[in-house]
Amino acid sequence: MNYIKSEFYRVFHSRGIYCLTAILVVLSLLLNAVLGWFGRMDGSSFPYDTTSFSYSNLVANPMLFCIMGAVIGIFLYEGNKKYGNLKNTIAFGISRKNVFAGECIVATVSAIFSLIIVISVYVISAVVFLEHIGPVNLMDLLTEIPAVFFIAEASLISGIVCIEAFEKNSIGIIIWFTIWFIIPKIFFYLGLRFDIIRKIAMWMPDNFFGITGMSVNMSQSITAWGTAEGMVKCLMSGIIGIVVFSLLGVILLRKREL
């Protein structure tokens, strides 16, 4: 608990998480403001000045939440090896398992803090600047958040594991990208020939979000979490990912040389 408290103090008394959140807030505000401005300038010839189009940027791309989860985890802890933070913490008498758990907890709370602010600004600016028409509505976006939350958490944990387990941060980031985007594609194409591999592949988020089960555009909004079965699959996939990457993190970091 003392380690977690010290990490919260470090994170929330430094500018990093605030700067990252501020950048995302500004980008969210600019996106909706620019769409609204183009709509007023071009009138009926510009079809994208709607809340539906704005929300669809997030609803159609749920893996963005996973990417941002990993970005925050990596952003907060990529300097551990450079500054010797992990070595000092272990020398103080805290086990590697507790250090890893503390990092995941602090990064998760930081990500939730950032998410609440950014999504609030995104929705409010869309409501203020854009027309309220189209197939994608606010409920699609709000239900997306719990649907992808555990998956984004698994991505965050895997990001921390990758940068802590490998000597160079760049290698860790490449490994993270391979796990979440390259391996699912390999499994999907192998699954076209082998049925059992296809069943495994369709539990990987990038596949059931990106390849099948989603159709979000200017004319319709069909989401992977729009049914009870789909929502359960999203939640279960995320929970499995959390368990797998947490165990992997404990095993890898226990053996890693400081």
Side-chain angles (χ1 to χ4, degrees), residues 143-144 146-148 224-236:
T143 53
E144 178 183 22
V148 303
W225 54 88
T227 63
E229 181 182 357
M231 177 64 83
V232 169
K233 187 171 186 178
C234 292
L235 297 176
M236 288 301 298

Side-chain angles (χ1 to χ4, degrees), residues 1 5 47 64 123 143 164 166 179 225 229 246 248 255:
M1 288 303 298
K5 289 177 183 177
L64 282 175
V123 170
T143 53
E164 293 283 21
F166 296 94
I179 291 171
W225 54 88
E229 181 182 357
S246 296
L248 190 62
K255 296 180 178 181

Side-chain angles (χ1 to χ4, degrees), residues 76-165:
L76 293 180
Y77 290 104
E78 56 87 22
N80 268 3
K81 295 188 289 291
K82 183 191 302 181
Y83 303 113
N85 294 348
L86 182 59
K87 185 182 294 186
N88 294 334
T89 305
I90 298 298
F92 190 70
I94 301 174
S95 70
R96 297 190 186 198
K97 179 179 69 174
N98 288 342
V99 169
F100 174 61
E103 289 177 347
C104 293
I105 291 169
V106 172
T108 298
V109 173
S110 302
I112 293 173
F113 163 80
S114 183
L115 172 69
I116 291 172
I117 295 175
V118 173
I119 289 296
S120 298
V121 172
Y122 195 94
V123 170
I124 291 171
S125 60
V127 170
V128 170
F129 292 124
L130 305 174
E131 294 185 49
H132 304 174
I133 57 174
V136 185
N137 55 48
L138 181 58
M139 189 56 63
D140 292 323
L141 176 58
L142 295 181
T143 53
E144 178 183 22
I145 295 172
V148 303
F149 181 82
F150 289 137
I151 298 173
E153 172 67 10
S155 176
L156 181 150
I157 294 172
S158 69
I160 294 176
V161 172
C162 287
I163 62 164
E164 293 283 21

